[in-house]
Amino acid sequence: MEKDGFRYVACLDCASLYLNPRPCRQMIESYYINSKAMKFFTTHLLERTAAARREKIFIPRAGIVAEWAARMRLGDDSFFVDVGSGNGIFLEEIAKLGKFARTAGIEPSPDLARLCRRRGGRVIEKPVEEVQDEIVDASFATAFEVLEHVH
């Protein structure tokens, strides 16, 4: 199937739908930074669903991270990094747990990075593929819901 010049195919094993060939890195970055769909998601949908997403997704997910961190016996200077921090609710929940000395998010979308900062999060505002020295000392990192849109 083709739509807007993109060829969609389905996995023969699980029926997942995907683009083939996949968009180049610049196309992916442009979509997440400039598209009308992302603008709508950021300005209308994301904040309206924030309370439910906090309760149903981010609080339980933070609890799982806290369990993993406890098993790792991280030091007093532990540094948590979340790739694709969105509006910062997950970082906020991680910080509340007090398991990490520092936290930071990696979020390339200017609108989402702004929302994340409003919640008090430290944000590295660039695609994860461009992040280097900023997180060299991270002791724990997550990348939930982002593997489909990083190159």
Side-chain angles (χ1 to χ4, degrees):
M1 169 176 69
E2 280 206 24
K3 183 176 180 182
D4 296 329
F6 294 103
R7 184 173 154 245
Y8 289 83
V9 295
C11 174
L12 297 176
D13 291 328
C14 69
S16 291
L17 190 65
Y18 62 96
L19 293 178
N20 186 11
R22 87 178 275 171
C24 68
R25 180 176 161 193
Q26 291 78 17
M27 291 174 77
I28 294 171
E29 288 175 12
S30 178
Y31 174 80
Y32 281 96
I33 293 172
N34 302 313
S35 74
K36 290 179 184 177
M38 279 305 297
K39 184 64 104 176
F40 178 81
F41 177 73
T42 303
T43 59
H44 291 83
L45 189 61
L46 195 60
E47 290 301 302
R48 289 181 184 166
T49 61
R53 291 172 55 80
R54 180 185 302 274
E55 178 188 343
K56 302 292 185 186
I57 298 171
F58 299 121
I59 291 173
R61 190 176 285 169
I64 292 168
V65 168
E67 288 175 21
W68 292 340
R71 283 189 224 147
M72 292 174 65
R73 297 185 184 133
L74 300 172
D76 292 338
D77 62 342
S78 61
F79 180 24
F80 174 85
V81 174
D82 179 47
V83 178
S85 298
N87 63 354
I89 294 174
F90 182 54
L91 276 178
E92 199 174 50
E93 292 302 324
I94 289 292
K96 284 181 188 177
L97 295 173
K99 299 287 183 185
F100 300 95
R102 297 176 292 142
T103 63
I106 299 171
E107 179 53 60
S109 164
D111 292 330
L112 291 174
R114 181 179 33 78
L115 292 173
C116 191
R117 285 186 187 101
R118 275 193 204 156
R119 287 191 160 84
R122 174 183 165 223
V123 182
I124 300 163
E125 191 175 325
K126 60 173 91 170
V128 67
E129 297 90 343
E130 294 178 14
V131 175
Q132 294 178 6
D133 296 339
E134 296 94 332
I135 62 163
V136 168
D137 62 345
S139 42
F140 199 108
T142 56
F144 293 108
E145 302 174 44
V146 296
L147 292 180
E148 77 282 0
H149 58 266
V150 295
H151 207 270

